Amino acid sequence: MPKHLISRLMGKFAAARAGWFTQAFIRWFIRQYKIDMSEAIEESPQAYKTFNDFFTRRLKPELRPLKADDNELAHPVDGSVSQLGEIKDGRIFQAKGHDYSLQELLGGSEEDAKPFMNGDFATIYLAPKDYHRIHMPCDGVLKKMIYVPGDLYSVNPLTAANVPNLFARNERVVAIFDTEVGPMSMVLVGATIVASIGTVWSGTVTPPTGGRIQSWSYPASGPAAIHLKKGEEMGHFKLGSTVVLTFAKDAIEFDDDLEPRSTTRMGEVMAKIKAETKESDD
């Protein structure tokens, strides 16, 4: 399949004001994926002039309260856990029989990967029915953003179990932050039909796409520094995909109830900040 072509064509349709056709497609999508529109600020499908408007719909704030306290990290998205655990010898577990390179995931730089060696990761899959805005699990200051070109394979659980190196193979946007728990990366992974990946500080990152890795660095302080609070929006998918988070060694401890296939809800507790991390930060 010409995955890039199909995805970009879908992107053009998703951004178009196609009148009755857009409305019919939105209604079909709601029925097909059993989407609860009562959660949306705009409950009526007619409120959305494009499919992108509908897909990135905002939810009623009271339905996703920030439950994580000062010593906890919040889930960044609605979705389900694909995998989580320790980054072992620079490798991240994908599925039985498959792992991939941390360094490759982050764009190939040894310097960018080093702070996360032997740390922890969480991979969260966003299904079509899910809310597709991405939020901060903790307070952070943006250090670097990297665009990595790649394939556009599907990232559903079946594909993750069968396609080697999937998340380090697909097109992606990497955001690296300095946070209260140390360095943290959030990797927004593209997929088949994913029409766009964007961030709040730069707008749409892709498309357009390119054939080479691109990176942008940001100041740690001053008026140009980008500070984001826990629970604040950091990006979005237009047609959904996967977020991979990485943390430094001994920085966090995932919630005891969190395991593969666990449902996640933005704002709920994802992990505890280890006491020594909090003390060193203080």
Side-chain angles (χ1 to χ4, degrees):
M1 287 176 58
K3 295 182 289 295
H4 280 88
L5 176 61
I6 291 170
S7 298
R8 300 320 174 206
L9 288 174
M10 182 60 190
K12 288 184 180 297
F13 162 69
R17 292 181 173 232
W20 69 267
F21 187 73
T22 293
Q23 288 296 313
F25 188 72
I26 289 172
R27 292 178 184 280
W28 172 85
F29 198 92
I30 291 169
R31 291 193 303 271
Q32 178 72 14
Y33 293 104
K34 298 178 174 60
I35 294 171
D36 183 2
M37 291 301 292
S38 69
E39 291 191 331
I41 292 175
E42 294 285 357
E43 297 184 22
S44 171
Q46 293 180 329
Y48 305 98
K49 303 305 180 187
T50 71
F51 184 76
N52 278 342
D53 291 343
F54 158 72
F55 198 78
T56 57
R57 63 195 177 277
R58 295 184 183 277
L59 303 185
K60 296 169 183 172
E62 64 271 20
L63 298 181
R64 296 294 184 276
L66 188 59
K67 295 183 178 180
D69 65 25
D70 290 345
N71 297 310
E72 296 170 328
L73 270 64
H75 278 299
V77 294
D78 284 11
S80 61
V81 176
S82 175
Q83 298 293 340
L84 79 168
E86 184 183 346
I87 301 168
K88 297 180 179 179
D89 300 320
R91 308 290 296 180
I92 295 176
F93 182 70
Q94 177 178 306
K96 185 177 180 180
H98 299 295
D99 62 13
Y100 58 94
S101 163
L102 163 70
Q103 184 173 328
E104 190 176 351
L105 175 73
L106 299 182
S109 166
E110 182 178 355
E111 181 181 356
D112 289 337
K114 187 175 180 180
F116 306 105
M117 295 295 288
N118 300 315
D120 293 286
F121 79 94
T123 304
I124 305 175
Y125 168 67
L126 287 74
K129 66 179 176 61
D130 289 320
Y131 168 64
H132 280 85
R133 293 181 182 268
I134 306 155
H135 296 252
M136 292 291 289
C138 56
D139 294 359
V141 179
L142 182 65
K143 179 180 179 181
K144 190 173 186 179
M145 181 174 75
I146 308 160
Y147 163 73
V148 187
D151 292 318
L152 286 175
Y153 285 98
S154 169
V155 292
N156 64 37
L158 180 62
T159 311
N162 289 281
V163 176
N165 212 34
L166 177 62
F167 302 118
R169 190 169 176 174
N170 270 13
E171 180 180 58
R172 54 203 178 276
V173 174
V174 180
I176 299 176
F177 295 90
D178 287 324
T179 80
E180 58 191 315
V181 299
M184 174 187 75
S185 78
M186 299 181 71
V187 184
L188 283 51
V189 183
T192 309
I193 311 297
V194 174
S196 177
I197 300 172
T199 64
V200 296
W201 58 86
S202 64
T204 298
V205 180
T206 177
T209 55
R212 62 183 180 86
I213 295 172
Q214 301 176 55
S215 66
W216 299 261
S217 296
Y218 301 87
S221 59
I226 298 170
H227 297 261
L228 295 173
K229 296 291 187 181
K230 178 162 61 179
E232 192 172 353
E233 184 182 337
M234 63 79 63
H236 64 262
F237 290 116
K238 292 179 182 175
L239 293 179
S241 189
T242 289
V243 177
V244 183
L245 299 103
T246 68
F247 302 91
K249 183 180 180 182
D250 296 327
I252 65 162
E253 182 178 350
F254 288 115
D255 190 73
D256 291 340
D257 294 332
L258 208 59
E259 59 185 16
R261 293 181 294 279
S262 294
T263 297
T264 69
R265 284 293 174 265
M266 193 282 289
E268 294 185 351
V269 177
M270 179 176 73
K272 297 178 179 65
I273 300 173
K274 289 192 173 179
E276 56 268 30
T277 305
K278 194 69 175 177
E279 289 168 6
S280 62
D281 182 61
D282 294 340

